[in-house]
Amino acid sequence: MTKKKSETFEWVKSIMVAVVLVFIIRSFFFTPIVVDGESMNPTLQNKDRMVVTKIGEPKRFDIVVFHAPDGEDYIKRVIGLPGDRVEYKNDVLYVNGKSYDEPYLKIYKERISQGSLTDSFTLKETAVGSETVPKGHLFVLGDNRRHSKDSRDIGAIPLEEVIGTTKIVYYPINEIKIIKK
């Protein structure tokens, strides 16, 4: 009888260790997320399942998940880092006066028959309301620029609201991929 008790105790102990490890990993390193909506099309699709990495600071053009002011979690692309001057002129991104190519927007830009994908703006003209991205904040945009609620509308995102970065789509199975900038 004691052998069976000992075996049961070992199983319970193993399961508890596994649960604690899962909790630690999900809390501090990785967590799954489901894309909700089309604001990151064509890069990400509605209902894509991704892995969010909670390690490291976001860099320009990383895709981040963050707690938005409305209480929802958003997924957007980092365009401006603290202290950056961000503006769009004639559908071209300028950060600190330097133009940047955005290859992830190519598909949408080719489909446009009239107007531009991203309307011209300066940070001062957005909900950020200043010349530069505030210290400790990020300026983020959705890839589906015409249909995205992002920093143009909700302002700069405090770094402490960022859950993490993501680049691995693991579901649907036939769409598994690593997002490149």
Side-chain angles (χ1 to χ4, degrees), residues 81-180:
L81 300 170
D84 282 348
R85 291 181 183 273
V86 176
E87 68 178 309
Y88 261 88
K89 287 191 278 190
N90 302 319
D91 217 9
V92 176
L93 168 65
Y94 292 89
V95 179
N96 301 322
K98 178 184 174 197
S99 67
Y100 282 85
D101 184 37
E102 296 178 282
Y104 45 86
L105 300 179
K106 185 177 180 188
I107 293 169
Y108 270 4
K109 284 186 176 186
E110 290 171 350
R111 292 182 189 165
I112 296 173
S113 59
Q114 291 183 340
S116 59
L117 178 64
T118 310
D119 292 332
S120 295
F121 69 83
T122 64
L123 275 183
K124 188 100 170 139
E125 299 166 339
T126 68
V128 175
S130 63
E131 297 290 330
T132 61
V133 177
K135 184 178 182 177
H137 289 72
L138 300 172
F139 183 82
V140 297
L141 295 175
D143 288 357
N144 189 355
R145 300 290 164 79
R146 290 183 169 184
H147 304 284
S148 177
K149 187 174 181 183
D150 48 40
S151 285
R152 294 172 291 181
D153 308 301
I154 62 174
I157 307 305
L159 281 167
E160 60 265 10
E161 296 300 327
V162 174
I163 297 167
T165 61
T166 183
K167 63 175 105 184
I168 300 170
V169 176
Y170 68 88
Y171 186 86
I173 301 293
N174 62 334
E175 297 287 327
I176 290 176
K177 62 185 172 187
I178 296 177
I179 306 296
K180 295 184 170 96

Side-chain angles (χ1 to χ4, degrees), residues 31-35 44 50-54 58 62-68 72-78 138 140 157-167:
T31 193
I33 190 163
V34 178
V35 176
L44 302 174
M50 304 186 72
V51 175
V52 176
T53 306
K54 298 179 176 187
D62 280 351
I63 297 173
V64 294
V65 178
F66 60 92
H67 303 300
E72 299 288 323
D73 287 345
Y74 285 14
I75 184 165
K76 305 291 177 195
R77 190 177 297 274
V78 175
L138 300 172
V140 297
I157 307 305
L159 281 167
E160 60 265 10
E161 296 300 327
V162 174
I163 297 167
T165 61
T166 183
K167 63 175 105 184

